[in-house]
Amino acid sequence: MSKTLDYIKKRRSPKKYIVDYKLTTTEVEEILESIRWAPSSVGLEPYRVIYLENKAIREELKEFCWNQPGTVDASAMIIWLGYKADFVKNKVMPEQNDRNVPVDFEKAKQYRINAYNNVIEGYAITNEEFVARQAYISLGCALVTAEEIGIDFCPVEGMEPRKIEAVLQKHQLIDLNNEFVCVAAFVGKVDKNQRHYHAFDKIRRPETDVYKVIK
Ligand SMILES: Cc1cc2nc3c(=O)[nH]c(=O)nc-3n(C[C@H](O)[C@H](O)[C@H](O)COP(=O)(O)O)c2cc1C
């Protein structure tokens, strides 16, 4: 079995965390770099993340994270800030085109702009949904890296994003003209001395329901 599959099979989303466990700087970097190097549609990279260790701010966020213990007890909360449509159009897309498209390939820039517009139209989604899809891919990459380095990682949708934004704005951690909260994660160490440290046993749907190989 590949190491990656082994990590995916073994990893769990913790529900209870060892309070005051702190990731090392190297561990934090490994996780953040996995987010930065994740692929994204048309290479747009339309998000950034906040790695929030500050417990006082996380206390303020807790009630808007469905009172999940990880909000404060985990080593940190990672919050993905996605970019809004005008910002994508006027800043992110041109910047990424300049960064990633070599000078001899000017037509590729317009191709990427068209591809972004066509995906949004073809899948009938908003810019925010497009951006969130890309953010979730990076979340998946970070989750596997975390397992490889022995860190427990829980993706977090259980929150009220608009209220999280208000708290982040109060602390000047988000630019609400251009950014929105799209998803989050808790990172730390599971506390097996607490009850219900994982939800239930790890079970998945049978292979035959999930995939079919066509030859
Ligand atoms: C996008 C996403 C959002 C999630 N949000 C939460 C959450 O807010 N709180 C939580 O405890 N678990 C959350 N989970 C974890 C799932 O409940 C968990 O992955 C699933 O039950 C399978 O368990 P496992 O991760 O231990 O294999 C989320 C998972 C994903 C992929």
Side-chain angles (χ1 to χ4, degrees), residues 11-13 15 68 136 154-158 202 204:
R11 67 150 298 281
R12 296 302 316 267
S13 296
K15 306 297 166 191
Q68 297 192 60
Y136 278 58
C154 182
V156 174
E157 271 181 339
K202 179 155 176 158
R204 292 297 189 261

Side-chain angles (χ1 to χ4, degrees), residues 30 66 93 109 117-118 138 146 215:
E30 290 274 334
W66 299 1
M93 180 67 86
K109 293 186 177 177
N117 288 330
N118 290 339
S138 70
K215 296 202 166 149

Side-chain angles (χ1 to χ4, degrees), residues 139-158:
L139 180 147
C141 293
L143 168 151
V144 181
T145 299
E147 183 65 16
E148 182 178 349
I149 63 174
I151 296 301
D152 295 304
F153 184 111
C154 182
V156 174
E157 271 181 339

Side-chain angles (χ1 to χ4, degrees), residues 132-184:
R133 290 174 177 203
Q134 316 317 318
Y136 278 58
I137 291 167
S138 70
L139 180 147
C141 293
L143 168 151
V144 181
T145 299
E147 183 65 16
E148 182 178 349
I149 63 174
I151 296 301
D152 295 304
F153 184 111
C154 182
V156 174
E157 271 181 339
M159 59 179 178
E160 296 176 73
R162 301 298 81 85
K163 293 191 175 159
I164 303 285
E165 284 167 1
V167 175
L168 296 181
Q169 187 184 32
K170 183 180 136 196
H171 294 281
Q172 298 176 324
L173 294 173
I174 188 170
D175 169 9
L176 278 182
N177 288 326
N178 300 317
E179 297 174 327
F180 68 99
V181 165
C182 51
V183 70

